[in-house]
Every structure is written in structure tokens, then in C-alpha cells.
Amino acid sequence: ACGGAVANRDRDHLYTVTVTPRRVFASFPFKRCPPETHLGIPMRMPVARRAVAVFDRKTAKFVGYLHEFDGFEKRFGKRAFSMPSPPVVRGSRLFCEMKIFGNMITSYIMVFDVSERRLVKAVPLCANGVELTMWELTAREPLSSPPASDGRVFYLCSDLGLVAAFDMEQERLLWAAEYEQMEIPSAANYLPRYRRTKWAAAAPRIESGVVVAAPLDSAFLTAFDAESGRVLWRYRYDTGITAHHFQTLDGRVLVWGDGLAALDLRGGRLLAVNREAFGPFSPDVGPAEHVGDALLVTARGSAWRLDAGADAEVVRSLPVDGRLLRVGRWILSVDRERVRLYEEAEK
């Protein structure tokens, strides 16, 4: 993980893969920019770079990397890059984000054709700064949220001050909207200082014409109109030190971590707050899976059922110390020692 990872809860983890009938796509750290020091003082931090690997789903054979496709090297040469998330797949087209490292971090929306193994398009989205050392060299891996899609539009939160929507059929940018970022602190006592992330890494949520995003470089949960990109509302849930999660549910947005809150999806009005939903202390709360008309999350070694009224109830028949994953009607409970399989109909 990058420098300051423990203090900032920016732990390196493979949070998602993309699976198609023939292939599996996953993003892995494959290289890192070498660190540099001067008299023991960091000049350049060991910043991780990631690449999207392609595997054959049937045989698990490694097929190659997206940056090895035709046209990539001609377009970008030897520039330092990172592809932090696996792609959204539509037919033979792959849509993903790539960040280029330089004096600034530049975000691109990349379009590949997996059948022809070529780069189709690279659309520059935005450029912005990250934490720097006192020599003004990059001090950390850029924060990155996974993308989302409604089947027609690719939504990306750049974590560089911009959220964007990209039409996957016409392969063009529909809109790009700014949000309020946290200020980047200057280096102190020769060492870089890092922003403390308020949110767990999560893809934007799309429901009823609203896109909700929790940028990792912002203190605010922000909602956008899905057609125009207009900012509808923003909400700051700044309690404790927990990195908060969010999810849409039946016209509401639930925010949880250090407590639980419910907001109106369209207007952002705070509807309910339950500060001790998971007990009096800040537990290690996990992301959610939709099950029926509720959400299932993990906290305190158990699964909890969250409803749209900001109520939380322990599901005592589903003990888990790790994370939950839903596949069809099946719910998998995964921790370090075992995998448990439950059927939704059995509660």
C-alpha cells in the first residue's frame, strides 16, 4: 500500500473483478515508481502502478494486459500509467479509467476492443494534483473509485475533482461535473501529509435518474442528475474516524459506518439518523448487498439488515467476520478461514 496507508485507511485490496462468459478482468499492482531519498528524506515515494489483466474464464489462463493491446504504446509511449479498476464490458468493447503520472495526475476514459485486441479511444477527462513530497514529487498512489454503468452509460468518479458520464454506444462524453474536494496539505517537517479519506472506495450508484457518488478526495456525498450532470445535493456525514459506506434503496440513500443515516434520493433531505445503529462504538463495518427490500452489511462479527427507515437489526442466523457477496439467490459469507453459503429464501 502507499505511504500513510494505515493512518488513512487506504488499504490495498482487490475490491472487484469483471466477469463475462469468456473472460475475467482484474486490476493488479504490477509495478511501482522507485522511491528516491536525499539524506534519508523522501524525495519520491514508492507509488504503486496497476494494470488490468485478462484471464480465460474456463481455463484461468492468463491472456495478457490491456496496455499490451495494439495502439496503446503508440498513443502513450513510456509514460507512467495506472489502470486502477477492471473495465465495464459492453459487447466486445471495454470501458475503464486510466491515470497518467506526471507533475499532475491526468485521468482518461479508455475504450478497448477485446476481440481485436486494440485501443479504440482515449478521452482525457481531467488533471489535478495529489499529495506531494517537499520536492513536489508524487507522494502517494492516486485515490481511485471503481466505475459504474446502467447498461448504456459509463459513470466514473475520477477522485480528482470530477464525475463524468460517457455514452458507451456513441462512445462520447455526455457530461462532466465538478464537486468540492478536500484541500491537499503541504509537506511538513520534510515528510508528506495525507488527506484522511471519509468514504470507503465504492462505485457511483444510479437510481431513478440520480447518480450518487462518494469521491475519496471529498468530504461530501454528492448527487447528480443522470441526464445533465447538474449537482442536486451534497451531504457531509462527518462523525468518528470510520470510512463510511453508502447505497441507494427504494428512493433513499443509506449512509453507514459510525452510525446510520437515511436521505431522500432526489432532494438529499435528511430523513433519519441512528447514531448507535451498530452499538456505542465505531465498528469495522462492511459494504452492502441488496437482499429483498433491505441491505445486508457486516459489523461486529454479524450480518445486519438495514431498511429504508434507517433501522438496523442483527441477522443472528448469518454469523460472519468477513464480507458478504450475493450471486443470484445465493449469499456467500467470506472471511479468512471459511466460506459459508446461504440461500436468500432461508433468511
Side-chain angles (χ1 to χ4, degrees):
C2 65
V6 174
N8 291 277
R9 304 178 307 280
D10 187 25
R11 298 178 179 85
D12 180 22
H13 62 287
L14 181 64
Y15 43 75
T16 183
V17 297
T18 299
V19 180
T20 69
R22 295 181 55 190
R23 302 176 182 90
V24 176
F25 303 88
S27 177
F28 296 102
F30 79 110
K31 189 179 290 187
R32 68 176 187 173
C33 299
E36 298 179 30
T37 61
H38 177 69
L39 300 178
I41 301 171
M43 293 179 60
R44 186 190 306 273
M45 304 298 283
V47 178
R49 296 170 54 190
R50 300 171 187 267
V52 173
V54 186
F55 299 88
D56 183 276
R57 181 176 178 179
K58 184 176 181 179
T59 65
K61 179 181 178 181
F62 172 68
V63 177
Y65 289 108
L66 293 190
H67 67 270
E68 297 173 340
F69 282 16
D70 292 343
F72 183 90
E73 186 172 354
K74 181 179 180 180
R75 175 68 173 81
F76 293 100
K78 301 299 182 181
R79 299 172 70 185
F81 71 90
S82 182
M83 295 185 195
S85 298
V88 170
V89 179
R90 189 175 191 270
S92 65
R93 293 291 212 247
L94 312 177
F95 302 84
C96 66
E97 182 194 20
M98 182 178 74
K99 286 182 165 75
I100 293 290
F101 297 175
N103 293 332
M104 303 284 281
I105 305 296
T106 304
S107 174
Y108 287 80
I109 294 177
M110 308 291 288
V111 184
F112 294 92
D113 191 292
V114 67
S115 298
E116 300 176 2
R117 293 182 60 87
R118 67 181 178 93
L119 172 65
V120 177
K121 185 176 293 188
V123 180
L125 184 59
C126 63
N128 213 325
V130 296
E131 292 87 341
L132 302 175
T133 66
M134 64 174 294
W135 278 271
E136 297 190 352
L137 297 174
T138 301
R140 72 177 297 169
E141 178 184 0
L143 300 170
S144 295
S145 301
S149 169
D150 61 4
R152 181 183 68 87
V153 179
F154 173 86
Y155 296 97
L156 177 67
C157 179
S158 69
D159 298 307
L160 293 171
L162 209 68
V163 171
F166 188 84
D167 189 302
M168 294 191 293
E169 181 176 352
Q170 300 181 19
E171 296 182 357
R172 65 181 182 89
L173 190 66
L174 295 175
W175 54 260
E178 295 181 347
Y179 56 82
E180 182 175 336
Q181 294 179 281
M182 291 185 286
E183 182 179 356
I184 300 175
S186 301
N189 297 324
Y190 306 108
L191 297 174
R193 292 188 297 165
Y194 302 96
R195 291 167 288 181
R196 181 176 291 276
T197 55
K198 306 292 184 180
W199 305 97
R205 314 299 186 190
I206 308 104
E207 182 179 316
S208 302
V210 178
V211 179
V212 185
L216 299 177
D217 60 336
S218 176
F220 293 94
L221 184 71
T222 306
F224 306 85
D225 182 87
E227 291 297 322
S228 66
R230 179 174 60 90
V231 175
L232 300 176
W233 53 265
R234 62 180 190 170
Y235 175 70
R236 182 168 182 159
Y237 191 68
D238 197 7
T239 62
I241 60 172
T242 302
H244 293 89
H245 300 266
F246 78 99
Q247 181 62 275
T248 57
L249 179 68
D250 297 332
R252 297 190 176 189
V253 181
L254 296 187
V255 179
W256 67 92
D258 196 18
L260 174 64
L263 298 91
D264 175 64
L265 174 63
R266 191 72 194 179
R269 182 169 59 92
L270 184 63
L271 301 174
V273 177
N274 186 347
R275 296 294 185 187
E276 295 190 359
F278 306 103
F281 304 106
S282 302
D284 182 17
V285 181
E289 287 290 343
H290 276 280
V291 177
D293 59 352
L295 302 177
L296 279 185
V297 304
T298 55
R300 297 184 177 276
S302 300
W304 295 67
R305 182 183 183 275
L306 310 184
D307 63 27
D311 288 326
E313 177 187 4
V314 177
V315 182
R316 301 195 182 280
S317 61
L318 212 167
V320 56
D321 290 323
R323 293 292 181 258
L324 297 175
L325 174 66
R326 179 179 179 178
V327 182
R329 72 179 190 275
W330 303 103
I331 302 169
L332 284 80
S333 163
V334 183
D335 57 40
R336 294 180 179 179
E337 298 181 355
R338 63 183 65 85
V339 177
R340 299 184 178 96
L341 182 64
Y342 299 86
E343 189 172 8
E344 181 182 345
E346 296 177 355
K347 306 297 182 185

